[in-house]
Amino acid sequence: MKTFSKLQCYLGRRKPLLPLALVLSAISELSGMLPYLLIWLIVKELINDGGFTGDSPVIVYSCYAAGFAVAGVLLYYAALMCSHLAAFRVESNIRREAMRKVLSMPLGFFDMNTIGKIRKIIDDNASVTHSFLAHQLPDLAGTVLVPIVALVMIVVFDWRLGIACLVPVGIAIAIMAHTMNTKGREFMKAYMTLLEQMNTEAVEYVRGIPVVKVFQQTVYSFKSFYRVIMEYNHTATKYTRLWERPMTFYSVIINSFAFFLVPLAIILSGDDSAASVILNLILFVLITPVFSQCVMKSMYIGQAIGQADEAINRLDALTAYRPLSTSKDIRHIDAYDISFENVSFAYPGTSARVLSGMSFTIRQGSRIALVGASGSGKTTIARLVPRFYDVDEGCVRIGGVDVRDVKTDELMRSVSFVFQNPRLFKTTIRENITYGKPNASHEDIERAIEMAQCRDIIDRLPNGLDTRIGTEGTYLSGGEQQRIVLVRAILKDAPIIVLDEATAFADPENEHLVQQALRELTRGKTVLMIAHRLTSITDVDNIIVVDNGNIAEQGTHKELLEMKGIYYNRWNEYCQSVNWTIGKEANND
């Protein structure tokens, strides 16, 4: 009932349709029961009259039976129409409300949840609720009402034959009750978790297909994807095997009611009128399968309720991500220096601190670089500036103002960030470029394209700036996508720039052009950059060496080399790797 009450919240003005669907379904089931009673009356008339006679009501009963049968079908159709209209409204409102909440999530939410997972939870789970409301829920009224009516008929006509027909039904219900225990719920939870994981891994696999083809690999090279597929296979097979014997036994028992009814009817025909017993036997042969249908429907309804409950819980868990707090004392940014003051931070859901007591300052208009091993906390520092997450201790300030006291839209206008994995929307190049500044003029767009060294990309596209990204237009290489992202950042013209290994996936030619674009982008701006290629940061104002969430060293390139510490060792290792590569190529020549 908790799940049903949650779903009702999404019905809107169509809330009366579900009760109406239940009522129509119940009347439909009753209409479907009446032909059995009329058939019994027809057989009774034929037995009593010794056959069909002119004044016999058999024709009337036959017409009524056909009419009730047709009415049952039409009423059930009307019930499904109502339930489907309600289900479609719930499904669309769930997607709309979930996406509304997702769009209001902090940017860190998208680091914690992959695109495949979000799509699976919102899209597929909304479809699960549709199946429950549109199909299983209308059957609920008939599943409850029909057995009650059938039991009344059993008592009225012949309770002895009634008990005999209920024996296999009772055994079948016991089998279902034993099988549909907590294991079913546990399986459904594991099943839906595996589906989410497969969606996530499938997205990553599809994105990596070019690499797979280049290196002539197979799906086995994506170990996590292969592992999830095999785990899904194991879980589904195990659950199927769990039902193998009970379902076989159930099918045999539920269809063996004749073996209980016929022997008893033979015994009773010796004491009572044989015609009366045969007449009642015909009725019970017709009615008993109705119990079988109700048992199966109840099983499907129970399974659908479990699926809908799990779907709603997962939707709630996804959208229950803790939002960033909103300060009552809203302040505006007047300067663009950045300071970290005793910042400590751990990612949501974890206890291990990524940063511990981090403090440093970036003067307005200066450039600093973060250097360190993978996992040392560099990217975390970069993502705290635009407030992807809130710090646990200390504060991050821009122009002396705590970022928690700045409105989100103002903070986003003040910061441009370019990460190592560029993202372009499947729309036109123009719309991708102007996303950060929708009202930009054509002259501003052209100037940004020239500054980002992207003129060659635009000129060779079939429709220029109006060329669409994706299957309907063209595909760009990783370096080309990075340059388009830089056009967007240059056009936005934010005073603070955050760069996270912006040249990571660029080929040598694109890297040179990207570096030129970066010089244009960062001129006169406050810049925080992360770089693994140390030659690209030798001219920055300050280099901070991060080690296990702490500042190990800081200074200019020259000062850090004189310290002969961590940076000195990394610089030497980097130079050796470059020399080794050059030497190897020279020897090959």
Side-chain angles (χ1 to χ4, degrees), residues 207-341:
R207 287 177 176 170
I209 283 178
V211 179
V212 173
K213 288 185 175 180
V214 167
F215 292 98
Q216 297 182 354
Q217 300 295 307
T218 65
V219 68
Y220 297 100
S221 61
F222 286 76
K223 294 181 180 178
S224 56
F225 187 28
Y226 178 72
R227 177 189 57 78
V228 172
I229 291 173
M230 297 310 296
E231 190 174 346
Y232 172 82
N233 175 58
H234 173 74
T235 302
T237 302
K238 184 179 178 181
Y239 188 68
T240 303
R241 294 252 174 99
L242 176 69
W243 278 87
E244 186 177 9
R245 291 183 180 178
M247 197 63 193
T248 302
F249 191 34
Y250 167 84
S251 299
V252 171
I253 290 295
I254 201 68
N255 293 303
S256 64
F257 59 89
F259 293 97
F260 293 86
L261 283 172
V262 173
L264 181 60
I266 293 172
I267 295 172
L268 293 176
S269 63
D271 299 329
D272 301 338
S273 170
S276 176
V277 172
I278 293 174
L279 186 61
N280 290 335
L281 176 64
I282 293 172
L283 178 64
F284 285 113
V285 168
L286 294 174
I287 290 177
T288 305
V290 173
F291 286 101
S292 173
Q293 294 173 8
C294 291
V295 172
M296 290 299 295
K297 285 182 179 180
S298 65
M299 182 179 68
Y300 291 137
I301 290 171
Q303 186 179 30
I305 290 174
Q307 289 178 335
D309 185 51
E310 187 65 27
I312 290 296
N313 289 339
R314 287 177 182 272
L315 281 165
D316 289 345
L318 179 71
T319 56
Y321 187 90
R322 186 182 66 182
L324 297 178
S325 58
T326 303
S327 174
K328 295 181 179 179
D329 183 21
I330 299 298
R331 301 177 62 186
H332 298 285
I333 300 174
D334 297 320
Y336 299 101
D337 55 290
I338 302 171
S339 61
F340 277 58
E341 299 178 3

Side-chain angles (χ1 to χ4, degrees), residues 386-403:
R387 203 188 175 195
F388 278 31
Y389 306 92
D390 276 340
V391 299
D392 298 328
E393 296 177 10
C395 66
V396 178
R397 297 183 185 275
I398 296 178
V401 179
D402 193 323
V403 294

Side-chain angles (χ1 to χ4, degrees), residues 311-480:
I312 290 296
N313 289 339
R314 287 177 182 272
L315 281 165
D316 289 345
L318 179 71
T319 56
Y321 187 90
R322 186 182 66 182
L324 297 178
S325 58
T326 303
S327 174
K328 295 181 179 179
D329 183 21
I330 299 298
R331 301 177 62 186
H332 298 285
I333 300 174
D334 297 320
Y336 299 101
D337 55 290
I338 302 171
S339 61
F340 277 58
E341 299 178 3
N342 199 32
V343 170
S344 295
F345 174 75
Y347 282 101
T350 65
S351 58
R353 283 190 171 182
V354 182
L355 302 178
S356 181
M358 178 74 67
S359 296
F360 64 88
T361 300
I362 308 174
R363 299 188 310 275
Q364 181 171 338
S366 64
R367 298 183 300 155
I368 77 159
L370 300 178
V371 175
S374 296
S376 59
K378 305 184 300 299
T379 298
T380 301
I381 293 172
R383 293 183 177 185
L384 291 178
V385 174
R387 203 188 175 195
F388 278 31
Y389 306 92
D390 276 340
V391 299
D392 298 328
E393 296 177 10
C395 66
V396 178
R397 297 183 185 275
I398 296 178
V401 179
D402 193 323
V403 294
R404 290 170 291 195
D405 296 334
V406 181
K407 283 187 175 181
T408 301
D409 55 350
E410 182 179 357
L411 184 60
M412 291 298 101
R413 286 196 303 270
S414 302
V415 182
S416 283
F417 30 88
V418 179
F419 295 128
Q420 56 183 317
N421 295 316
R423 298 287 186 189
L424 294 179
F425 301 107
K426 286 183 171 57
T427 182
T428 64
I429 298 289
R430 185 189 302 277
E431 290 176 341
N432 270 285
I433 290 173
T434 59
Y435 194 78
K437 192 177 180 180
N439 58 347
S441 66
H442 182 72
E443 290 73 18
D444 290 338
I445 296 172
E446 291 295 325
R447 184 177 63 85
I449 290 171
E450 295 293 343
M451 293 174 66
Q453 310 295 318
C454 284
R455 175 56 58 193
D456 60 318
I457 299 176
I458 304 302
D459 288 345
R460 66 178 173 79
L461 294 176
N463 297 314
L465 286 170
D466 295 319
T467 303
R468 299 182 70 86
I469 300 292
T471 55
E472 298 180 8
T474 187
Y475 288 97
L476 301 178
S477 68
E480 290 171 336

Side-chain angles (χ1 to χ4, degrees), residues 70-309:
V70 172
V73 172
L74 294 176
L75 287 168
Y76 189 64
Y77 176 78
L80 290 181
M81 284 289 292
C82 293
S83 65
H84 274 76
L85 288 172
F88 282 127
R89 177 57 56 87
V90 169
E91 185 179 6
S92 62
N93 283 347
I94 284 177
R95 289 194 176 102
R96 187 179 294 111
E97 182 65 16
M99 286 306 301
R100 185 189 65 79
K101 291 181 179 179
V102 165
L103 290 174
S104 65
M105 292 292 179
L107 295 176
F109 169 83
F110 301 96
D111 283 341
M112 308 294 291
N113 298 278
T114 64
I115 295 173
K117 180 181 178 181
I118 294 173
R119 189 207 66 79
K120 168 68 179 64
I121 291 177
I122 294 178
D123 194 36
D124 290 6
N125 288 344
S127 298
V128 168
T129 63
H130 169 86
S131 178
F132 167 64
L133 291 175
H135 299 279
Q136 274 73 43
L137 191 62
D139 291 338
L140 180 62
T143 304
V144 174
L145 185 62
V146 168
I148 296 174
V149 174
L151 285 172
V152 172
M153 292 175 67
I154 285 171
V155 173
V156 170
F157 288 94
D158 194 322
W159 63 270
R160 296 165 298 182
L161 289 174
I163 292 175
C165 77
L166 288 178
V167 170
V169 175
I171 297 173
I173 292 174
I175 294 171
M176 289 294 102
H178 174 72
T179 309
M180 294 182 65
N181 50 24
T182 54
K183 289 184 179 180
R185 286 293 179 95
E186 292 172 0
F187 164 77
M188 190 54 58
K189 187 175 182 179
Y191 175 77
M192 298 186 80
T193 299
L194 287 170
L195 285 179
E196 290 171 11
Q197 292 176 357
M198 279 202 298
N199 269 271
T200 299
E201 297 298 338
V203 170
E204 296 302 318
Y205 177 68
V206 170
R207 287 177 176 170
I209 283 178
V211 179
V212 173
K213 288 185 175 180
V214 167
F215 292 98
Q216 297 182 354
Q217 300 295 307
T218 65
V219 68
Y220 297 100
S221 61
F222 286 76
K223 294 181 180 178
S224 56
F225 187 28
Y226 178 72
R227 177 189 57 78
V228 172
I229 291 173
M230 297 310 296
E231 190 174 346
Y232 172 82
N233 175 58
H234 173 74
T235 302
T237 302
K238 184 179 178 181
Y239 188 68
T240 303
R241 294 252 174 99
L242 176 69
W243 278 87
E244 186 177 9
R245 291 183 180 178
M247 197 63 193
T248 302
F249 191 34
Y250 167 84
S251 299
V252 171
I253 290 295
I254 201 68
N255 293 303
S256 64
F257 59 89
F259 293 97
F260 293 86
L261 283 172
V262 173
L264 181 60
I266 293 172
I267 295 172
L268 293 176
S269 63
D271 299 329
D272 301 338
S273 170
S276 176
V277 172
I278 293 174
L279 186 61
N280 290 335
L281 176 64
I282 293 172
L283 178 64
F284 285 113
V285 168
L286 294 174
I287 290 177
T288 305
V290 173
F291 286 101
S292 173
Q293 294 173 8
C294 291
V295 172
M296 290 299 295
K297 285 182 179 180
S298 65
M299 182 179 68
Y300 291 137
I301 290 171
Q303 186 179 30
I305 290 174
Q307 289 178 335
D309 185 51

